[in-house]
Amino acid sequence: MMRIKLEDIPKEGKQLVFLWGQESIQSFLAPKDPHGIAIPDPLSVEIYLFRKASQVHVTGSIRGKLNMVCHRCLESFSFPLEISVETFLQRKPTYLKEDEVELSEEDLLWEFFDGDEIDVDLLVAEEIFLSLPQVLLCSEDCKGLCPVCGKNLNIQTCSCKRMEFSPFETLKELRDSFSS
Ligand SMILES: [Zn+2]
Ligand SMILES: [Zn+2]
């Protein structure tokens, strides 16, 4: 676990350069991660921390690639990461520790951390997850799996009769079955 104490960030700022691999991301993934997220080769992370009182400006980059599973065809594919990090962190003010406090607009500009340390692993994990698209696809025009035989239609074709679902068709079939 990588943590940096606020007091260890000097006036001129602090540079962190490190590799971030599978064992680091593991604790941020769901137990049976449906997205199959994995880091085949450790990511290169470069982070600069600049502190002003209890506020920290973070810039830097995260580079490498993630493996994950395509939503449509369920094959694992490699997704390039090229993230520019730019975020502001602030120690959680005591009034925000109460559960029912509403955040002011100014509060919303900040990412908070508890105590006197910044959790660098959490920072990296958040940046990665925020950079991912909503739907993970191996390619824009992935053909997916045949709903009948389950073949990956990107690799092979099949001769299954696939009915495109149409509510009108179903209605017609229903009507036909009554009239016969
Ligand atoms: Zn796919
Ligand atoms: Zn098929």
Side-chain angles (χ1 to χ4, degrees):
M1 244 184 0
M2 201 187 312
R3 287 172 176 277
I4 299 289
K5 280 191 161 67
L6 276 198
E7 61 194 41
D8 291 341
I9 303 173
K11 260 210 183 81
E12 66 274 16
K14 188 174 181 69
Q15 184 190 22
L16 302 171
V17 179
F18 54 92
L19 294 174
W20 206 77
Q22 184 62 34
E23 67 290 348
S24 303
I25 203 169
Q26 199 63 48
S27 62
F28 298 100
L29 300 174
K32 281 182 185 165
D33 173 30
H35 307 298
I37 292 174
I39 300 179
D41 302 303
L43 307 173
S44 307
V45 184
E46 222 175 308
I47 280 177
Y48 304 89
L49 302 167
F50 298 96
R51 177 168 79 105
K52 220 175 141 191
S54 63
Q55 301 175 342
V56 180
H57 180 199
V58 186
T59 61
S61 65
I62 302 169
R63 291 198 175 83
K65 57 187 180 193
L66 282 188
N67 284 351
M68 45 201 179
V69 168
C70 173
H71 275 201
R72 273 187 210 150
C73 68
L74 307 180
E75 288 292 322
S76 185
F77 69 102
S78 173
F79 184 83
L81 287 182
E82 184 84 51
I83 304 169
S84 322
V85 180
E86 166 94 61
T87 183
F88 292 89
L89 306 173
Q90 186 175 38
R91 183 187 298 160
K92 205 178 213 175
T94 41
Y95 68 88
L96 283 180
K97 292 184 180 167
E98 317 276 332
D99 275 348
E100 287 174 27
V101 171
E102 269 188 50
L103 293 174
S104 70
E105 234 169 85
E106 199 188 332
D107 290 333
L108 292 174
L109 290 175
W110 298 89
E111 282 253 29
F112 296 110
F113 57 92
D114 264 324
D116 298 320
E117 294 181 326
I118 293 169
D119 183 338
V120 178
D121 291 318
L122 177 63
L123 182 77
V124 174
E126 278 182 350
E127 290 289 332
I128 292 173
F129 294 129
L130 286 175
S131 77
L132 298 179
Q134 292 274 11
V135 180
L136 310 173
L137 293 180
C138 64
S139 89
E140 282 286 323
D141 42 32
C142 170
K143 295 189 186 79
L145 301 177
C146 167
V148 182
C149 70
K151 278 183 182 151
N152 182 344
L153 301 174
N154 297 312
I155 300 171
Q156 48 195 156
T157 50
C158 64
S159 48
C160 299
K161 275 189 194 155
R162 285 192 298 278
M163 252 200 295
E164 296 301 323
F165 175 75
S166 154
F168 298 104
E169 284 288 321
T170 323
L171 202 68
K172 187 174 171 291
E173 271 173 35
L174 201 67
R175 225 182 272 137
D176 290 349
S177 69
F178 275 115
S179 59
S180 58

